[in-house]
Protein backbone atom coordinates (compact mmCIF):
# COMPACT_ATOMS: atom_id res chain seq x y z
CA UNK A 1 0.00 0.00 0.00
CA UNK A 2 1.57 3.28 -1.14
CA UNK A 3 0.10 6.59 0.08
CA UNK A 4 1.68 9.60 1.74
CA UNK A 5 -1.19 9.96 4.22
CA UNK A 6 -0.77 7.71 7.26
CA UNK A 7 -4.49 7.73 8.01
CA UNK A 8 -5.34 6.59 4.48
CA UNK A 9 -2.74 3.80 4.57
CA UNK A 10 -3.98 2.57 7.92
CA UNK A 11 -7.59 2.69 6.80
CA UNK A 12 -7.01 0.81 3.54
CA UNK A 13 -4.69 -1.69 5.26
CA UNK A 14 -7.29 -2.38 7.94
CA UNK A 15 -9.98 -2.77 5.29
CA UNK A 16 -7.98 -5.15 3.11
CA UNK A 17 -6.60 -7.10 6.06
CA UNK A 18 -10.16 -7.86 7.10
CA UNK A 19 -10.40 -10.19 4.12
CA UNK A 20 -8.80 -13.57 4.92
CA UNK A 21 -7.56 -13.96 1.33
CA UNK A 22 -5.50 -10.74 1.46
CA UNK A 23 -2.27 -10.17 3.38
CA UNK A 24 -0.60 -6.75 3.66
CA UNK A 25 3.13 -7.33 3.16
CA UNK A 26 4.33 -3.74 3.33
CA UNK A 27 3.59 -0.07 2.94
CA UNK A 28 5.34 3.07 1.75
CA UNK A 29 4.69 6.80 1.86
CA UNK A 30 6.40 7.90 -1.36
CA UNK A 31 7.84 6.72 -4.68
CA UNK A 32 11.41 6.16 -3.45
CA UNK A 33 10.25 4.15 -0.45
CA UNK A 34 7.92 2.06 -2.59
CA UNK A 35 10.59 1.23 -5.17
CA UNK A 36 13.00 0.35 -2.34
CA UNK A 37 10.62 -1.88 -0.38
CA UNK A 38 8.71 -3.74 -3.10
CA UNK A 39 11.54 -6.12 -4.11
CA UNK A 40 11.84 -7.49 -0.56
CA UNK A 41 8.10 -7.58 0.10
CA UNK A 42 7.38 -9.09 -3.36
CA UNK A 43 3.64 -8.33 -3.35
CA UNK A 44 1.15 -9.69 -5.86
CA UNK A 45 -0.54 -6.27 -5.97
CA UNK A 46 0.65 -2.74 -5.21
CA UNK A 47 -2.12 -0.25 -4.40
CA UNK A 48 -0.78 3.23 -5.18
CA UNK A 49 -2.10 6.73 -4.67
CA UNK A 50 -1.75 8.73 -7.89
CA UNK A 51 -0.38 11.78 -6.03
CA UNK A 52 2.84 11.23 -4.09
CA UNK A 53 5.15 13.85 -2.55
CA UNK A 54 8.26 12.93 -4.57
CA UNK A 55 6.64 12.15 -7.90
CA UNK A 56 3.50 10.28 -8.81
CA UNK A 57 1.93 6.87 -8.56
CA UNK A 58 2.38 6.67 -12.32
CA UNK A 59 6.18 6.90 -12.02
CA UNK A 60 6.18 4.61 -8.98
CA UNK A 61 4.17 2.02 -10.89
CA UNK A 62 6.55 2.16 -13.87
CA UNK A 63 9.59 1.77 -11.60
CA UNK A 64 8.03 -1.10 -9.65
CA UNK A 65 7.06 -2.98 -12.79
CA UNK A 66 10.47 -2.39 -14.40
CA UNK A 67 12.02 -4.21 -11.43
CA UNK A 68 9.34 -6.91 -11.21
CA UNK A 69 6.77 -7.29 -13.98
CA UNK A 70 4.80 -9.80 -11.92
CA UNK A 71 3.59 -7.04 -9.57
CA UNK A 72 0.14 -5.81 -10.56
CA UNK A 73 -0.51 -2.15 -9.80
CA UNK A 74 -3.88 -0.70 -8.82
CA UNK A 75 -4.14 3.08 -8.84
CA UNK A 76 -6.19 4.98 -6.25
CA UNK A 77 -7.43 8.20 -7.82
CA UNK A 78 -9.75 11.13 -7.23
CA UNK A 79 -9.61 12.14 -10.91
CA UNK A 80 -12.31 12.01 -13.57
CA UNK A 81 -12.49 8.90 -15.77
CA UNK A 82 -10.24 10.11 -18.61
CA UNK A 83 -7.57 11.33 -16.22
CA UNK A 84 -7.69 8.14 -14.16
CA UNK A 85 -7.47 6.05 -17.31
CA UNK A 86 -4.53 8.15 -18.56
CA UNK A 87 -2.64 7.62 -15.30
CA UNK A 88 -3.32 3.90 -15.21
CA UNK A 89 -2.27 3.36 -18.83
CA UNK A 90 0.87 5.51 -18.56
CA UNK A 91 1.85 3.72 -15.37
CA UNK A 92 1.30 0.27 -16.83
CA UNK A 93 -1.25 -0.42 -14.11
CA UNK A 94 -3.78 -3.23 -14.27
CA UNK A 95 -6.54 -0.86 -13.24
CA UNK A 96 -7.68 2.13 -11.24
CA UNK A 97 -10.33 2.74 -8.62
CA UNK A 98 -11.81 6.03 -7.37
CA UNK A 99 -11.15 6.97 -3.76
CA UNK A 100 -14.90 7.02 -3.18
CA UNK A 101 -15.07 3.28 -3.91
CA UNK A 102 -16.78 1.03 -1.37
CA UNK A 103 -14.71 -1.35 0.72
CA UNK A 104 -16.19 -4.43 -0.95
CA UNK A 105 -15.47 -3.01 -4.41
CA UNK A 106 -11.85 -2.27 -3.48
CA UNK A 107 -11.38 -5.82 -2.22
CA UNK A 108 -12.93 -7.13 -5.45
CA UNK A 109 -10.62 -4.93 -7.53
CA UNK A 110 -7.53 -6.18 -5.66
CA UNK A 111 -8.64 -9.77 -6.19
CA UNK A 112 -9.28 -9.16 -9.89
CA UNK A 113 -5.87 -7.69 -10.65
CA UNK A 114 -4.15 -10.29 -8.45
CA UNK A 115 -5.77 -12.95 -10.62
CA UNK A 116 -4.24 -11.34 -13.71
CA UNK A 117 -7.32 -9.54 -14.98
CA UNK A 118 -7.23 -5.98 -16.31
CA UNK A 119 -9.81 -3.45 -15.18
CA UNK A 120 -9.00 -1.21 -18.15
CA UNK A 121 -11.15 -1.15 -21.29
CA UNK A 122 -8.88 -1.52 -24.38
CA UNK A 123 -11.21 0.59 -26.55
CA UNK A 124 -11.20 3.47 -24.05
CA UNK A 125 -7.41 3.18 -23.79
CA UNK A 126 -7.02 3.48 -27.56
CA UNK A 127 -9.27 6.55 -27.66
CA UNK A 128 -7.42 8.39 -24.89
CA UNK A 129 -4.00 7.54 -26.34
CA UNK A 130 -5.04 8.79 -29.77
CA UNK A 131 -6.08 12.16 -28.34
CA UNK A 132 -2.82 12.39 -26.40
CA UNK A 133 -0.82 11.39 -29.46
CA UNK A 134 -2.34 14.26 -31.43
CA UNK A 135 -2.01 16.73 -28.54
CA UNK A 136 -5.76 17.22 -28.49
CA UNK A 137 -8.29 17.69 -25.73
CA UNK A 138 -10.25 14.96 -24.09
CA UNK A 139 -13.79 14.10 -25.06
CA UNK A 140 -16.24 16.95 -24.44
CA UNK A 141 -13.54 19.58 -23.92
CA UNK A 142 -12.56 22.50 -26.17
CA UNK A 143 -9.78 21.75 -28.65
CA UNK A 144 -6.65 23.20 -27.12
CA UNK A 145 -3.34 21.98 -28.46
CA UNK A 146 -0.50 22.73 -26.06
CA UNK A 147 2.09 21.03 -28.25
CA UNK A 148 2.49 18.06 -30.54
CA UNK A 149 4.58 15.07 -29.57
CA UNK A 150 7.85 14.32 -31.31
CA UNK A 151 8.31 11.11 -33.30
CA UNK A 152 10.23 9.54 -30.40
CA UNK A 153 7.58 10.65 -27.89
CA UNK A 154 4.85 9.12 -30.06
CA UNK A 155 6.84 5.90 -30.26
CA UNK A 156 7.26 5.81 -26.48
CA UNK A 157 3.56 6.61 -25.98
CA UNK A 158 2.59 3.69 -28.21
CA UNK A 159 4.93 1.31 -26.37
CA UNK A 160 3.62 2.49 -23.01
CA UNK A 161 0.08 1.96 -24.32
CA UNK A 162 1.05 -1.63 -25.10
CA UNK A 163 1.99 -2.08 -21.46
CA UNK A 164 5.79 -2.14 -21.87
CA UNK A 165 7.94 -1.30 -18.86
CA UNK A 166 10.87 1.12 -19.01
CA UNK A 167 13.24 -1.84 -19.25
CA UNK A 168 11.29 -3.37 -22.13
CA UNK A 169 11.17 -0.03 -23.95
CA UNK A 170 14.94 0.27 -23.50
CA UNK A 171 15.43 -3.16 -25.06
CA UNK A 172 13.06 -2.34 -27.91
CA UNK A 173 14.68 1.03 -28.66
CA UNK A 174 18.25 -0.09 -28.05
CA UNK A 175 18.73 2.51 -25.33
CA UNK A 176 20.03 2.52 -21.78
CA UNK A 177 17.23 2.07 -19.23
CA UNK A 178 18.25 5.26 -17.41
CA UNK A 179 17.87 7.18 -20.67
CA UNK A 180 14.42 5.71 -21.20
CA UNK A 181 13.42 6.48 -17.62
CA UNK A 182 14.42 10.12 -18.11
CA UNK A 183 12.65 10.42 -21.47
CA UNK A 184 9.49 8.75 -20.17
CA UNK A 185 9.53 11.12 -17.18
CA UNK A 186 9.83 14.07 -19.57
CA UNK A 187 6.95 12.67 -21.63
CA UNK A 188 4.78 12.31 -18.52
CA UNK A 189 5.63 15.87 -17.55
CA UNK A 190 4.77 17.16 -21.00
CA UNK A 191 1.45 15.34 -21.03
CA UNK A 192 0.76 16.49 -17.48
CA UNK A 193 1.30 20.09 -18.57
CA UNK A 194 -1.08 19.50 -21.48
CA UNK A 195 -3.77 18.17 -19.16
CA UNK A 196 -3.24 21.11 -16.83
CA UNK A 197 -3.71 23.53 -19.73
CA UNK A 198 -7.00 21.82 -20.46
CA UNK A 199 -8.23 22.35 -16.91
CA UNK A 200 -7.61 18.72 -16.07
CA UNK A 201 -5.03 19.08 -13.31
CA UNK A 202 -1.56 17.59 -13.16
CA UNK A 203 -0.53 14.12 -12.10
Amino acid sequence: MVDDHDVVRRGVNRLLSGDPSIEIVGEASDTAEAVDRVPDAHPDVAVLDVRLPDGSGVEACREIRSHDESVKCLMLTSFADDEALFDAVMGGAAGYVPKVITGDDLISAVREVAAGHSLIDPAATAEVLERLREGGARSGEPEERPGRLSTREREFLDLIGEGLTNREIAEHAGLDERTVRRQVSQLLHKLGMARGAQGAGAT
Side-chain angles (χ1 to χ4, degrees), residues 2-199:
V2 185
D3 194 293
D4 60 318
H5 295 99
D6 183 63
V7 171
V8 174
R9 288 200 313 276
R10 289 187 183 189
V12 173
N13 285 357
R14 188 176 299 112
L15 171 67
L16 294 177
S17 296
D19 187 290
S21 68
I22 298 176
E23 176 188 3
I24 304 298
V25 296
E27 62 180 61
S29 60
D30 57 35
T31 300
E33 194 175 21
V35 173
D36 182 59
R37 292 187 175 184
V38 163
D40 290 333
H42 194 62
D44 297 305
V45 178
V47 180
L48 305 106
D49 187 4
V50 168
R51 294 176 183 260
L52 293 171
D54 61 339
S56 73
V58 175
E59 292 169 312
C61 181
R62 294 202 64 77
E63 283 297 301
I64 288 169
R65 295 194 66 252
S66 284
H67 285 88
D68 187 350
E69 296 172 37
S70 70
V71 180
K72 310 297 190 303
C73 293
L74 184 64
M75 311 294 288
L76 274 177
T77 178
S78 56
F79 296 152
D81 286 348
D82 271 10
E83 293 175 84
L85 177 59
F86 168 88
D87 291 327
V89 170
M90 295 302 287
Y96 63 89
V97 290
K99 289 190 173 182
V100 294
I101 194 172
T102 66
D104 288 344
D105 286 343
L106 177 58
I107 290 172
S108 295
V110 169
R111 285 176 171 171
E112 283 288 300
V113 298
H117 303 301
S118 174
L119 304 181
I120 299 175
D121 177 16
T125 297
E127 182 181 346
V128 168
L129 287 176
E130 181 59 29
R131 286 199 296 273
L132 290 171
R133 193 179 293 114
E134 294 302 321
R138 297 171 301 163
S139 177
E141 292 184 337
E143 275 299 309
E144 297 180 30
R145 297 188 178 278
R148 300 274 183 158
L149 300 181
S150 68
T151 300
R152 175 51 65 93
E153 288 170 335
R154 286 169 179 251
E155 178 187 358
F156 276 26
L157 182 62
D158 288 339
L159 294 173
I160 290 171
E162 292 172 16
L164 271 64
T165 65
N166 291 345
R167 180 174 54 78
E168 291 171 328
I169 291 175
E171 292 172 356
H172 177 87
L175 297 170
D176 180 85
E177 187 175 342
R178 285 175 297 181
T179 300
V180 169
R181 186 183 298 115
R182 184 176 65 254
Q183 293 185 0
V184 167
S185 180
Q186 290 171 349
L187 174 60
L188 292 173
H189 180 67
K190 184 173 184 177
L191 292 173
M193 288 173 60
R195 290 159 63 225
Q198 294 159 6

